[in-house]
Amino acid sequence: MGFLAGKRAVVIGLASNRSIAWGIAQALHREGAELAFNYQTDKLAGRVGKFAAQLGSDIALPLDVSEDRQIDGFFEQLAAHWDGFDILVHSVAYAPADQLDGRYIDSVSREGFRIAHDISSYSFAALARRAEPMMAGRAGALLTLSYLGAMRALPNYNVMGLAKASLEANVRFLALDLGAQDIRVNAISAGPIRTLAASGIKGFRSMLARVGAAAPLGRNVGIDDVGNAAAFLCSDLAAGITGQVVYVDAGYSIVGLSSGSDGA
Ligand code: 0WE
């Protein structure tokens, strides 16, 4: 029997079979959780419905996290299927493409900043607020996805780094509030992964190669690595862990100087 048997999990942000949300959903399913999904636009309804069915779920509901009314509607419709749930995974980020190209100082705009923070950070708190009544008293867990750009400056990630820094603070403030209901809140800071969201980004391939070479494990991480860590953090095995950002990055973030070809 899997370590998530009897748990119900809501997964927000599944868009393709390369999505981090897909890696997480597969691991949650393997460990015995029941699943529910959202789709952002009507165009994605059929695709997400098929992914859901592959993991034994017939719950795929519309939700664009930029709309409060859609967030309310999502949980109202979910309540018709489930009287409560245990796990919510937030795997959503967006900044307008012009924000992720060139110097931060040149590309950041008031509107780009607003959208990045709204979709990538505020939406986590907005979902948590509506989830709380359905999760209360069930030893539940919220999980979101961050990136090293929250803590370190790097080329082109730009305003997304600020939004991830906000998201990580969001994790701590939500963890403080929700601890009293036995709901834990954590983030995984994942190493770079080739997903749809990453496919448009200039120089992503060479970045993957450099990160994989410098990481202690000598490789990049995949959605299965993130999925397995996510399943643990959302399970009762992690009952003592809340408010944390756990790095699933093959160790890249702890290196001060990567070893050269002579091993020194
Ligand atoms: O958080 C992310 C990417 C999130 C993302 C991606 C896009 C591409 C398409 C947010 N908004 C958009 N907007 C679009 O129009 N990552 C951690 C992946 C990522 O993105 C980068 C990276 C890495 C790593 C952008 C620049 C530099 C490195």
Side-chain angles (χ1 to χ4, degrees), residues 28-52:
L28 297 178
H29 172 71
R30 187 193 68 224
E31 297 303 332
E34 274 184 79
L35 300 175
F37 297 89
N38 82 307
Y39 55 88
Q40 191 203 342
T41 62
D42 291 341
K43 220 181 74 177
L44 285 170
R47 195 198 300 186
V48 173
K50 277 183 197 155
F51 285 125

Side-chain angles (χ1 to χ4, degrees), residues 56-105:
S57 168
D58 61 358
I59 312 178
L61 304 170
L63 171 58
D64 180 329
V65 298
S66 68
E67 299 276 352
D68 285 334
R69 284 182 22 228
Q70 291 198 33
I71 300 179
D72 292 336
F74 177 85
F75 287 103
E76 279 163 24
Q77 290 186 60
L78 185 65
H81 293 86
W82 290 349
D83 56 355
F85 62 90
D86 307 283
I87 294 164
L88 186 138
V89 176
H90 171 268
S91 187
V92 178
Y94 179 74
D98 65 357
Q99 296 293 299
L100 302 175
D101 189 16
R103 298 203 315 166
Y104 167 69
I105 195 173

Side-chain angles (χ1 to χ4, degrees), residues 239-262:
I241 304 177
T242 194
Q244 295 300 317
V245 178
V246 175
Y247 283 74
V248 179
D249 67 347
Y252 179 79
S253 62
I254 62 98
V255 171
L257 179 63
S258 60
S259 28
S261 50
D262 62 355

Side-chain angles (χ1 to χ4, degrees), residues 93-95 97 100 147 155-157 160 164 192 197 201 204 207:
Y94 179 74
L100 302 175
Y147 178 60
N156 300 317
Y157 200 63
M160 272 306 304
K164 290 300 195 187
I201 288 145
F204 198 79
M207 181 183 162

Side-chain angles (χ1 to χ4, degrees), residues 49-255:
K50 277 183 197 155
F51 285 125
Q54 282 183 52
L55 301 181
S57 168
D58 61 358
I59 312 178
L61 304 170
L63 171 58
D64 180 329
V65 298
S66 68
E67 299 276 352
D68 285 334
R69 284 182 22 228
Q70 291 198 33
I71 300 179
D72 292 336
F74 177 85
F75 287 103
E76 279 163 24
Q77 290 186 60
L78 185 65
H81 293 86
W82 290 349
D83 56 355
F85 62 90
D86 307 283
I87 294 164
L88 186 138
V89 176
H90 171 268
S91 187
V92 178
Y94 179 74
D98 65 357
Q99 296 293 299
L100 302 175
D101 189 16
R103 298 203 315 166
Y104 167 69
I105 195 173
D106 298 327
S107 61
V108 68
S109 67
R110 195 178 298 277
E111 183 68 353
F113 181 104
R114 185 192 68 71
I115 293 170
H117 284 73
D118 182 20
I119 306 301
S120 312
S121 179
Y122 173 74
S123 67
F124 189 47
L127 289 169
R129 179 187 298 150
R130 274 73 160 201
E132 182 180 10
M134 289 185 78
M135 294 182 73
R138 297 174 62 117
L142 305 184
L143 182 74
T144 188
L145 276 300
S146 192
Y147 178 60
L148 187 61
M151 301 297 291
R152 312 270 181 84
L154 65 147
N156 300 317
Y157 200 63
N158 299 351
V159 78
M160 272 306 304
L162 284 74
K164 290 300 195 187
S166 165
L167 178 67
E168 292 185 3
N170 219 328
V171 165
R172 292 183 284 271
F173 278 82
L174 290 170
L176 181 62
D177 285 346
L178 294 175
Q181 332 272 14
D182 208 13
I183 299 171
R184 298 176 299 101
V185 187
N186 293 291
I188 288 175
S189 184
I193 300 176
R194 181 165 280 292
T195 64
L196 275 187
S199 64
I201 288 145
K202 256 190 239 155
F204 198 79
R205 278 169 71 96
S206 82
M207 181 183 162
L208 274 180
R210 287 162 64 187
V211 169
L217 294 180
R219 63 173 179 91
N220 290 113
V221 295
I223 63 172
D224 50 339
D225 293 304
V226 177
N228 287 330
F232 161 70
L233 285 171
C234 292
S235 79
D236 298 340
L237 294 173
I241 304 177
T242 194
Q244 295 300 317
V245 178
V246 175
Y247 283 74
V248 179
D249 67 347
Y252 179 79
S253 62
I254 62 98
V255 171

